[in-house]
Amino acid sequence: TAIVGPNGSGKSNVSEAIRWVLGEQSMKSLRGKRGEDFIFHGSGSASQLGKARVSIVFENKEHVFPLDFREITISREVYRDGANEYRLNDSVVRLKDIIELMSNVGVGGSAHHIISQGEADRLLWASPKERKNMLEDALGLRIYHIKQTEAERKLAATEENMREVGMLRRKIQPHMRFLREQAVKVEASVKLRE
């Protein structure tokens, strides 16, 4: 699919909206600095809005997407405070869910799926690492990298918790010895009373 038209007709706006709704995180690649830049700031005759929303609808009659819906609607909203909200058929979901869904069908908001004007050379001159990332993304492997990163983060957090527990055990060890000695004395005094 190609979007063509004269200068200033909004070709880039359409392609950037598609990238944005599919989870693009780089505001620079979307010609903005922060999410608030996408919200209508008002004009002489219209007041400003509090949010911006883009929705894209995919036909799913042949169940290309692994969901039991005839149409899949993906939406993304951004609010003035910078908060983002993702929706799948009007149910709030995480960005990770959107990326996973799109990875299942080999589509994403990444640069090799949507090529803006003047970016074709970038694909030709990409470094081996960039090409590898593009290929993995096209094969739907991106979600596994995300899961791997998440698992590594959880392992690091668990390791930190174990370290803290070890420090706590060393800290209370002398107190535990004291309590054991007290328990032995109490048991001995109970026996003597009997």
Side-chain angles (χ1 to χ4, degrees):
T1 302
I3 302 170
V4 295
N7 291 342
S9 64
K11 300 180 299 289
S12 297
N13 293 346
V14 173
S15 64
E16 288 173 4
I18 293 170
R19 284 173 60 179
W20 186 71
V21 75
L22 295 179
E24 177 65 58
Q25 296 299 299
S26 169
M27 293 298 148
K28 185 179 176 187
S29 71
L30 298 173
R31 297 181 298 164
K33 291 184 180 161
R34 54 190 191 278
E36 189 180 333
D37 293 342
F38 305 137
I39 302 172
F40 180 64
H41 291 288
S43 66
S45 60
S47 61
Q48 73 175 7
L49 298 177
K51 67 178 180 179
R53 179 178 182 161
V54 173
S55 296
I56 188 168
V57 180
F58 295 98
E59 181 186 292
N60 195 34
K61 289 179 186 172
E62 296 177 14
H63 296 288
V64 174
F65 291 90
L67 298 172
D68 198 24
F69 294 100
R70 292 179 67 77
E71 277 189 348
I72 306 292
T73 303
I74 297 173
S75 304
R76 181 177 180 181
E77 293 181 5
V78 64
Y79 298 91
R80 287 228 171 258
D81 64 359
N84 280 275
E85 191 172 83
Y86 298 89
R87 293 180 178 271
L88 181 60
N89 286 359
D90 283 329
S91 296
V92 176
V93 294
R94 303 167 298 178
L95 171 59
K96 178 182 162 189
D97 300 323
I98 300 296
I99 291 171
E100 186 170 347
L101 176 68
M102 298 311 292
S103 290
N104 286 331
V105 294
V107 177
S110 61
H112 72 279
H113 288 114
I114 300 169
I115 303 167
S116 300
Q117 182 179 350
E119 287 187 345
D121 284 353
R122 184 180 49 77
L123 296 174
L124 296 172
W125 300 107
S127 70
K129 184 178 181 191
E130 290 171 327
R131 284 192 188 131
K132 178 181 179 265
N133 289 339
M134 288 179 208
L135 184 61
E136 287 176 347
D137 204 7
L139 292 171
L141 301 177
R142 182 176 178 199
I143 189 63
Y144 297 110
H145 290 294
I146 292 169
K147 287 180 178 181
Q148 178 183 357
T149 303
E150 192 175 295
E152 288 170 352
R153 186 181 47 77
K154 286 180 181 177
L155 282 171
T158 302
E159 206 172 277
E160 181 61 31
N161 287 344
M162 288 173 57
R163 211 176 358 261
E164 287 178 20
V165 167
M167 286 173 31
L168 265 170
R169 287 181 66 191
R170 282 191 296 277
K171 185 177 177 181
I172 63 170
Q173 195 67 33
H175 187 65
M176 292 297 289
R177 258 185 259 131
F178 172 75
L179 289 176
R180 262 190 235 108
E181 291 169 5
Q182 292 299 319
V184 168
K185 288 179 183 177
V186 168
E187 286 175 9
S189 70
V190 167
K191 284 182 183 175
L192 286 174
R193 280 195 199 113
E194 288 174 0

